[in-house]
Amino acid sequence: MSWRRRTAGPTEVEEESWTEEPNVLLLLHTEEFASMIYNYRQVPLQEVQSSTDRQKETLRSFVARVMEKIPGKTLALVVVELEKYLRSHKGQSQKRPRQAVPSGSQKEGQRKRKRQKEASGPEVSRLDVEEALVDLQLHTGIQVRCLENWKDLSDFASMFTKSVAEAPFKRERENTGFSFYLENEWCRGVKVDRSGKGLLQVWQRQIQQFHRVSPDMASAIVSAYPSPWLLKQAYHRCFSEQEQQNILADIPVRRGDGVTATSRRIGPELSRRIFLQMTSHNPDLCLDVTN
């Protein structure tokens, strides 16, 4: 699975163009993945990546072959129902009967079971899988995502697509030149006239002073309580301190538009910190410490 991004031309006359994204998501069949794990266990370490025989292909040699076809791409691998595969093969090995001297019919049965085993894939252990994945990550930096079922694959592909779509916007937002440089608008503060225009922005900036509070979170709180006085009144209407601490917890925070839109809650931790700041008379109180 790969992605293309539609980019509009600099003028209305010019047509839209498509740009290839560097990310590639590749699905491995479980039996094929298990064969690579089995080969990794059998092939000497010096031949793990250099092996060109498809019958002895390992994860590293497979990734090297794929990257030759898509140079410059960022590869991610996915395997579905690996746990089911491991459990089924473990159950088959435990049920295998012990026989001292096989007869003719028994030999035929053994050959039949061997052919079935080869068709269903080799038997590997969880330890073999972990060792091969660590080897792959150390030498190539590529990780393999193991998913339980096909629904998880659908959810993962959707999440991956969303991440690819948001990537350039996140890079643009984080690319401010210097990490310690604040925007001019923030440094100048907010101008408030005699009619009170600008107080809403001041209240939002005050909330953004809290640690780990984004502009989207501050905007969500200000939308629910447009002034500190309204929030104080809401605290007074509560029947317990626990209710006061959680009064902001369920406020939804929405970010982005369209298919890239996400939604989350303010959460009890930030709600508690704002409550303490608004009500506590202790000047030495640390808001990030849970009492």
Side-chain angles (χ1 to χ4, degrees):
M1 182 183 293
S2 60
W3 293 264
R4 292 188 303 166
R5 186 181 302 275
R6 185 171 59 184
T7 55
T11 62
E12 296 182 358
V13 179
E14 296 186 20
E15 297 182 355
E16 296 176 341
S17 60
W18 294 87
T19 305
E20 289 284 343
E21 291 292 325
N23 305 87
V24 174
L25 184 63
L26 182 61
L27 173 65
L28 287 174
H29 293 289
T30 311
E31 293 78 9
E32 182 182 6
F33 177 76
S35 297
M36 295 180 190
I37 300 296
Y38 180 81
N39 293 336
Y40 168 77
R41 190 176 60 183
Q42 303 297 324
V43 175
L45 290 178
Q46 60 270 22
E47 300 179 12
V48 168
Q49 185 173 356
S50 60
S51 177
T52 57
D53 187 358
R54 291 293 184 87
Q55 300 296 327
K56 297 182 180 180
E57 190 165 55
T58 64
L59 278 175
R60 282 171 56 187
S61 62
F62 171 78
V63 167
R65 181 167 59 85
V66 171
M67 294 306 297
E68 288 180 359
K69 299 179 180 179
I70 51 171
K73 297 288 187 177
T74 302
L75 182 65
L77 302 178
V78 180
V79 180
V80 181
E81 294 184 342
L82 177 61
E83 280 296 323
K84 181 179 178 181
Y85 178 91
L86 295 176
R87 286 194 300 266
S88 65
H89 282 67
K90 183 178 180 181
Q92 291 176 5
S93 63
Q94 291 176 347
K95 294 178 182 178
R96 191 175 298 134
R98 295 182 179 180
Q99 299 171 351
V101 181
S103 61
S105 61
Q106 292 171 344
K107 288 182 179 179
E108 179 63 27
Q110 288 179 355
R111 285 194 292 268
K112 184 177 179 180
R113 285 194 296 271
K114 183 177 180 181
R115 288 194 296 269
Q116 292 175 348
K117 180 180 178 182
E118 291 175 352
S120 61
E123 181 178 340
V124 294
S125 66
R126 287 181 174 83
L127 181 60
D128 297 332
V129 174
E130 292 175 0
E131 288 181 353
L133 294 184
V134 170
D135 176 81
L136 178 68
Q137 185 174 1
L138 288 176
H139 289 88
T140 65
I142 294 176
Q143 297 185 1
V144 179
R145 187 68 175 264
C146 300
L147 302 175
E148 285 289 335
N149 49 53
W150 295 100
K151 181 182 181 302
D152 290 346
L153 175 62
S154 175
D155 295 339
F156 180 73
S158 177
M159 180 189 67
F160 205 102
T161 301
K162 186 175 184 179
S163 178
V164 172
E166 291 181 343
F169 304 103
K170 290 183 177 180
R171 286 194 297 265
E172 184 178 354
R173 184 175 58 190
E174 295 172 357
N175 187 19
T176 57
F178 299 99
S179 59
F180 55 84
Y181 176 73
L182 298 176
E183 296 180 1
N184 291 333
E185 183 180 353
W186 179 275
C187 297
R188 291 195 302 266
V190 178
K191 183 178 180 181
V192 180
D193 58 22
R194 293 185 177 183
S195 65
K197 183 180 179 181
L199 287 175
L200 195 68
Q201 287 76 15
V202 172
W203 171 224
Q204 181 172 337
R205 293 285 182 87
Q206 288 177 334
I207 297 175
Q208 285 184 244
Q209 296 287 334
F210 285 91
H211 189 41
R212 302 186 301 275
V213 175
S214 66
D216 295 322
M217 298 171 70
S219 177
I221 295 174
V222 169
S223 298
Y225 299 96
S227 71
W229 183 83
L230 292 175
L231 181 56
K232 290 280 287 186
Q233 292 297 312
Y235 285 140
H236 291 318
R237 290 193 295 267
C238 294
F239 295 100
S240 65
E241 183 175 336
Q242 185 67 29
E243 185 181 355
Q244 290 175 324
Q245 291 188 14
N246 293 324
I247 195 172
L248 304 176
D250 293 326
I251 294 178
V253 180
R254 294 180 177 83
R255 181 169 61 91
D257 297 314
V259 295
T260 62
T262 57
S263 180
R264 52 167 295 187
R265 299 183 305 120
I266 291 295
E269 194 270 339
L270 176 58
S271 180
R272 182 193 66 85
R273 286 191 286 150
I274 294 178
F275 164 73
L276 292 176
Q277 192 270 340
M278 295 287 292
T279 60
S280 177
H281 297 282
N282 180 10
D284 298 322
L285 178 66
C286 183
L287 299 178
D288 282 336
V289 177
T290 305
N291 296 327

